Amino acid sequence: MRNEPKVAPPPQPSPASQEREQIPRVRDVARNVAAPLSRKAGEGEGGGLGAFRYALIAFTLIGAALRLCAAQGDLWLDEIWTLNLLERAHSFGDVFIGLHHDNNHVANSAWLYLIGPNAPVPLMRLAAIVFGTLAIPAAAAASRRYCDAAGLIAAFVFATSYFFVHYGSEARGYAGMTLAVLLAYGVVDAILVEGASWRRLLALAAAICFGTFSHLTMIEASGALALTALLRFRSSTLGRAVAIGAVVGLASLPALACFAYGALAPDFQVGAMVPLSPAIFAEGVAGMARATLGFPRSVDDFVLLGAAGLLALGLLAVLPAERRVFPAIAVFGLPLLHVAAGLPSQQYPRFHSTAAIGLALLAAEGCAALWRAGAWRRVAAAVLLLAFAVSDAAQLADFYRDGRGHYADAVTIMAERNEASYAVDFARGETKAVVAYYAHRLGVVATMVSPAEWCATPPAFLLVVDLPDSQAEHAERRSAGPQDCRSAFLLRGYFPASGLSGFAWTLYEREEITRSAR
């Protein structure tokens, strides 16, 4: 037999070397485990990226359809007001510095200037529809940074909430501002968590600048975002918080400069202001909560404020600390700031738009947190979301039925007279502007009769003006005018309005004119 060479057995590793070799293996295992977990965090808990994307597309399409339906119907006072202001613009630059009025929402005015005053109404509202629809994926992206469930619920809330459907279909600046706040909120969170790249800082600046040109209410939203960054900072992120504050301040300057230029002009005008009172404040904030999450209209404003506040506190309690900051500032801090500053006209829900955005984000992320907690908390989340959906659907149904008003129909009846004279019992200046707009489009003359002129030239028509959804009395016959020359009027038509904008009109014609026509 041949002598086979002896092969030495492989050296046995020492315990220390075995430990060193195991470290890379542990790291490999950790990476292999972390990779699918990170994908799961990015793609969805229990679902893939495709499922999230399809659901988001569905919610976005639903939101777009709801806004397109809401964009039908007559222009109301504030939209007409913008068109009247644009008559003063001799160039595109005047949209930015030449319309010296606080009702000039620059981005919206620029759109109306470009398409012209005779464009179809849905086209006038198209910019709001686009911005309002884009707010849906923007909300999903911002809340998805918490978890996928929050992103999809945010898309659902912003798609179907009556508040955002209404202002996402109206030719004003609130839809653009809402989109800007949501984009900026997502970017601020990304900067705080992942770092302040130039791309993120530029995106934040663009969102802030666009939002401020859309509506100056963006100023308070921008302040809330800067304060959010400050309150969320850690020693390692202080520079990021400072960068966010600097970008927010600088990006707000162009729109503020344009506004300041107009405000310093001697012909600068401000709309009617109502002094602050507890009832006025409760009406505005409670109205915002109703329209955002569908709280019942029948509930007293102060009672609803308490209930909405308790709900918000409960949802804040289930969220991680970093997700509480902006919603808490928006929902609680900003309304209290309005009170401290004594701001007027707080009865309008739209003046609390930032609070509405914060409340919707809080509802989405709070319900997602309840769902993630499991057990009975999932039932609570489902009940809340179902209640929001049903109540918002009821408000949308009322709005689709009655719209922002039916002014053209009323003026068409008035146009039966060659020179339609009319009197108004409420909001005389506002009603005169609306009647003049539709009379001009119909090619007729409509003249408002003041109380002092009544006896000499009694009006042919009487317009009784009510707020939307008011329980107006539609008497078949009524008398009006000064005591020494009162006139009897017969009902010609009721023209309702519902929701956050417009007026309900009841039109009467003087009795002797009606009889002579017969």
Side-chain angles (χ1 to χ4, degrees):
M1 295 180 59
R2 286 173 41 184
N3 292 329
E4 297 290 342
K6 294 182 179 180
V7 179
Q12 296 296 320
S14 65
S17 63
Q18 285 181 343
E19 184 176 355
R20 284 193 299 270
E21 289 177 5
Q22 286 176 356
I23 291 176
R25 295 175 186 172
V26 171
R27 289 175 180 167
D28 291 341
V29 172
R31 278 196 296 266
N32 292 335
V33 172
L37 288 178
S38 63
R39 286 194 298 269
K40 190 176 183 180
E43 297 174 7
E45 296 181 3
L49 178 61
F52 182 94
R53 182 180 298 159
Y54 294 141
L56 177 57
I57 290 172
F59 286 138
T60 303
L61 292 176
I62 291 170
L66 292 175
R67 285 155 178 79
L68 285 168
C69 292
Q72 308 305 310
D74 294 348
L75 297 176
W76 79 288
L77 171 67
D78 283 17
E79 296 171 305
I80 293 170
W81 203 348
T82 303
L83 294 175
N84 291 342
L85 288 175
L86 286 171
E87 293 178 358
R88 310 175 189 176
H90 302 293
S91 67
F92 188 68
D94 283 343
V95 172
F96 294 84
I97 60 175
L99 307 180
H100 304 156
H101 202 291
D102 72 328
N103 194 58
N104 179 27
H105 304 174
V106 176
N108 176 66
S109 298
W111 169 251
L112 294 178
Y113 179 88
L114 291 173
I115 64 173
N118 297 317
V121 170
L123 183 58
M124 291 185 181
R125 292 169 171 161
L126 181 60
I129 295 170
V130 171
F131 297 148
T133 301
L134 290 176
I136 299 167
S143 288
R144 193 184 184 194
R145 296 189 61 81
Y146 171 44
C147 68
D148 275 12
L152 288 181
I153 296 173
F156 168 75
V157 171
F158 278 87
T160 61
S161 167
Y162 168 59
F163 187 96
F164 298 108
V165 171
H166 185 105
Y167 290 120
S169 60
E170 189 166 287
R172 307 196 73 212
Y174 297 102
M177 176 217 157
T178 299
L179 172 61
V181 173
L182 293 169
L183 291 172
Y185 177 53
V187 174
V188 165
D189 188 62
I191 291 173
L192 291 174
V193 174
E194 300 166 13
S197 67
W198 281 110
R199 179 178 297 179
R200 289 190 179 121
L201 292 176
L202 288 174
L204 177 61
I208 297 294
C209 185
F210 168 69
T212 313
F213 273 117
S214 293
H215 199 281
L216 283 178
T217 308
M218 185 72 190
I219 295 297
E220 69 174 18
S222 300
L225 290 168
L227 183 58
T228 297
L230 183 63
L231 294 177
R232 284 182 56 181
F233 90 93
R234 301 289 182 269
S235 58
S236 60
T237 61
L238 178 59
R240 301 175 189 178
V242 172
I244 288 170
V247 169
V248 165
L250 291 173
S252 302
L253 289 179
L256 282 176
C258 292
F259 178 77
Y261 180 88
L264 294 174
D267 62 341
F268 182 74
Q269 295 176 295
V270 177
M273 296 291 182
V274 179
L276 180 68
S277 71
I280 287 294
F281 175 78
E283 179 184 348
V285 179
M288 176 275 297
R290 282 191 187 95
T292 303
L293 296 182
F295 287 99
R297 290 175 180 166
S298 57
V299 178
D300 176 79
D301 289 340
F302 289 99
V303 173
L304 193 148
L305 276 183
L310 289 174
L311 174 63
L313 288 172
L315 293 174
L316 284 171
V318 301
L319 284 174
E322 68 274 7
R323 305 305 300 182
R324 298 173 187 166
V325 183
F326 178 73
I329 295 171
V331 174
F332 292 101
L334 292 180
L336 292 176
L337 179 63
H338 291 190
V339 172
L343 298 182
S345 301
Q346 294 297 294
Q347 76 273 25
Y348 298 117
R350 61 182 179 269
F351 286 4
H352 305 282
S353 292
T354 307
I357 296 169
L359 184 60
L361 289 171
L362 178 57
E365 297 185 11
C367 287
L370 289 172
W371 187 263
R372 295 178 78 186
W376 62 269
R377 295 176 183 85
R378 290 196 170 189
V379 177
V383 169
L384 284 174
L385 289 174
L386 180 61
F388 298 156
V390 171
S391 299
D392 274 319
Q395 293 189 40
L396 283 171
D398 290 342
F399 177 64
Y400 290 142
R401 183 190 65 234
D402 296 335
R404 298 173 176 87
H406 301 267
Y407 315 106
D409 292 343
V411 177
T412 298
I413 294 175
M414 295 167 62
E416 295 173 1
R417 309 293 165 214
N418 291 331
E419 292 188 7
S421 60
Y422 66 97
V424 181
D425 71 330
F426 171 69
R428 290 185 175 87
E430 294 90 336
T431 305
K432 180 179 180 180
V434 176
V435 171
Y437 174 79
Y438 286 105
H440 175 73
R441 292 180 71 89
L442 292 170
V444 299
V445 176
T447 306
M448 190 172 78
V449 176
S450 68
E453 302 167 324
W454 189 299
C455 293
T457 56
F461 295 95
L462 172 68
L463 271 174
V464 177
V465 179
D466 293 286
L467 295 174
D469 300 306
S470 59
Q471 301 299 318
E473 179 186 354
H474 313 305
E476 290 294 328
R477 189 176 185 276
R478 65 186 299 161
S479 62
Q483 288 296 332
D484 53 347
C485 57
R486 291 184 72 79
S487 302
F489 292 85
L490 299 178
L491 179 67
R492 287 297 308 272
Y494 172 62
F495 307 94
S498 180
L500 297 169
S501 301
F503 295 97
W505 282 3
T506 307
L507 180 65
Y508 292 87
E509 189 172 18
R510 206 167 75 241
E511 187 171 14
E512 56 264 34
I513 295 179
T514 305
R515 287 179 176 174
S516 64
R518 292 174 181 172

